[in-house]
Amino acid sequence: MSAPHSNAHSNPYEPPSDLERLQRHGWTLGAVGVAACLVGWILDSNQFFHSYLVAWLFWLGIALGSLAILMLHHLTGGAWGLMVRRTLEAATRTLPALAILFLPILLGMQEIFPWARPEAATDELIQQKAAYLNPAAFTLRGFFYLAIWSLFAFILSWLSLRQDRTADPGLIRRMQAVAAPGLAIYCLLATFASVDWLMSLDPHWYSSLFGVYFFVGQGLSALAFLIVIAVYLSQRQPMDSLFTPLHFHDYGKLMLAFVMIWAYIAFSQLLIIWSGNLPEEVGWYLERSHGIWKYVSILLALFHFLLPFLLLLSRDLKRNAKLLSKVAVLVLFMRWVDLYWLAAPSFGHEGLSFHWLDLATVVGIGGIWFALFVGQLRSRPLLPINDPYLEEALADD
Amino acid sequence: MSTPPPSKGPFALMAEFRSSKELIRAIRQARGAGYTQLEAYTPYPIEEVWEELGHHRSWLPLIVLIGGIFGALFGSLLQYWVSVINYPMNVGGRPLNSWIAFIPVTFETTILFAAGAAVLGMFALNKLPMPYHPVFNVERFALASRGRYFLAIGRWDPQFDRRETAEFLHRLAPQEVSEVAS
């Protein structure tokens, strides 16, 4: 605590005061959204829980993807990561709140998951999976994943804070030592989580690529979100003089890579299931290739992959923060469409079931989540002030 | 640098620097002094040097893009022609035009042709292979592939004057200034 940078007012990278306004907007939107959700819950609890699952997974994806990208940065280094490390850390510290927001899913388990309903007792295939797919195990596993992820998030944030205070260069090694197993554990748990929270909506269906699809999507969500925040910060003191087109070029390249991996995994899963043509597997795709869902699938291919891919090929666009943030917003929106496309056809509504609760839940959870995120972002300097690589990262050439 | 018009005198004047920072500063000053026909030689690619030289945009990305589009069309049409027109065969009851199965090969041919266009395009734009270039007449120029940075001002620069330009280069505090014999 005796280090010169411990006093927040003396630090040169103090978060801009506008953030307070953003945080207030977050709380307001959150309150309106939650009120709408409560009304929706009373009017149509079935629909409420379906919408809630998608909205919760959307915001969870940003926080968890941030954890993965943060750990990736600790392991690989680079100026791009140092510039946004505090944004990523702030997003990961929202994980305990997301664990609390997991509770409504437990309340609505019967409305969301077919295996949790009494009728499941007569389904031979579900009965074979009952040792894994049962309410108690589902609840325990869910909290276990969220606890482990939160633990990694807080260890990394705590080490980062200690680095600010003590300037101990050895902390870099310790962060790497946490990040290496952390990344592997994150991927493993996210795979299980994808089975629990999305794949089991259709308990007969299975795909071994699904976990990768799930966490690559989270990485993409987090990257698009961090671009939006970085562009916001780059227009304000003190970061306006520190972000350069080179940084945005790097974020653009990373987002392009994630868009491509997402498409690669999505296509691989389709190719494998289409080639095998087995009844338990193809049903999932048949649901998504008929009626209105066919057009949602095409929408995904065009706007989750093709358009961002073509736009991000351009060097000029990647170096233009404003344009890049527009692509990032498109990608974020399509991330929600992707989760909706994964979940909604399995709920068994007739046709395209877009409901006002789909919006209300995204706004409700999102407002609260965003306000918490901004609060975390405001609580620390915007750059890791005593990181040994910071000087190098901020050098002009 | 574009090709020099034939005339007497050295091909260019060349200054040697010990760091990329010195080189970049020298390029800035030379451009500020009105010189336009500059070329820099560095042991590794430095993006800033390329920007400071004010080079026109490379045509290479467009060549690669055209190569990729051609590869995608070639791969998909080849498979369509083989499976639907030339040798239609029923595989597991699937439609002849099973586009899902065509995508991996289409992807491969896209990359293949884009990469081929990148290599050949790079050679063509650099006019390679080029067995002779005057800069190698400077003995110390071999260091350009090790740890030294060179700036050359071409004789066909409108401002080029054998003595004045040499004096200008000396003022940039280089390691050495040499004349590049044609």
Side-chain angles (χ1 to χ4, degrees), chain A residues 206 284 343:
Chain A
Y206 53 88
W284 194 84

Side-chain angles (χ1 to χ4, degrees), chain A residues 246 249 260 264 267 270-271 274-277 310 313 315-316 319 396-397, chain B residues 20-21 24 47-48 50-51 57 65 92 94-95 98-101 103-104:
Chain A
L246 275 176
H249 196 180
M260 286 163 68
Y264 175 74
F267 176 74
L270 170 68
L271 180 67
W274 176 84
S275 307
N277 209 15
L310 292 176
L313 285 178
R315 183 172 183 272
D316 290 341
R319 290 175 155 249
D396 274 339
D397 47 0
Chain B
S20 60
K21 271 192 185 154
I24 288 163
E47 196 157 5
E48 217 180 330
W50 185 77
E51 276 164 15
R57 303 197 51 150
L65 181 69
R94 292 190 180 82
S98 286
W99 62 271
I100 295 176
I103 286 185

Side-chain angles (χ1 to χ4, degrees), chain B:
Chain B
M1 278 193 298
S2 49
T3 339
S7 80
K8 296 279 174 198
F11 174 80
L13 279 164
M14 190 184 250
E16 174 187 334
F17 297 93
R18 264 195 278 192
S19 75
S20 60
K21 271 192 185 154
E22 284 173 29
L23 172 70
I24 288 163
R25 202 174 49 223
I27 297 172
R28 253 177 235 161
Q29 288 180 8
R31 298 249 303 163
Y35 289 103
T36 51
Q37 300 303 312
L38 303 172
E39 186 60 283
Y41 303 90
T42 58
Y44 51 89
I46 304 171
E47 196 157 5
E48 217 180 330
V49 166
W50 185 77
E51 276 164 15
E52 289 294 339
L53 283 171
H55 265 314
H56 68 84
R57 303 197 51 150
S58 168
W59 288 102
L60 196 59
L62 186 66
I63 294 173
V64 176
L65 181 69
I66 293 171
I69 292 172
F70 178 79
L73 288 175
F74 171 76
S76 49
L77 292 178
L78 174 73
Q79 290 173 91
Y80 182 83
W81 178 73
V82 167
S83 345
V84 180
I85 298 166
N86 192 43
Y87 203 86
M89 193 158 55
N90 185 334
V91 181
R94 292 190 180 82
L96 293 174
N97 180 23
S98 286
W99 62 271
I100 295 176
F102 296 169
I103 286 185
V105 172
T106 305
F107 174 74
E108 300 291 344
T109 52
T110 307
I111 304 297
L112 180 69
F113 279 80
V119 173
L120 295 177
M122 185 275 288
F123 269 76
L125 292 177
N126 285 323
K127 302 191 185 76
L128 291 173
M130 188 187 286
Y132 173 78
H133 195 282
V135 286
F136 290 96
N137 292 332
V138 178
E139 206 172 319
R140 290 178 65 84
F141 185 70
L143 293 171
S145 63
R146 275 173 258 165
R148 292 298 159 90
Y149 305 78
F150 291 84
L151 174 66
I153 299 180
R155 149 184 93 203
W156 56 101
D157 191 300
Q159 279 208 48
F160 186 86
D161 177 278
R162 205 163 168 175
R163 211 170 8 174
E164 268 176 34
T165 305
E167 272 168 23
F168 170 78
L169 285 173
H170 273 294
R171 280 201 298 278
L172 299 174
Q175 188 79 355
E176 197 178 287
V177 173
S178 26
E179 284 197 349
V180 182
S182 307

Side-chain angles (χ1 to χ4, degrees), chain A residues 71-102:
Chain A
M71 295 193 286
L72 209 60
H73 159 65
H74 280 309
L75 293 175
T76 59
W80 68 268
L82 273 182
M83 299 299 288
V84 292
R85 202 169 99 191
R86 285 291 140 93
T87 306
L88 295 170
E89 285 170 357
T92 63
R93 290 199 297 276
T94 61
L95 280 168
L98 285 160
I100 295 171
L101 291 170
F102 179 55

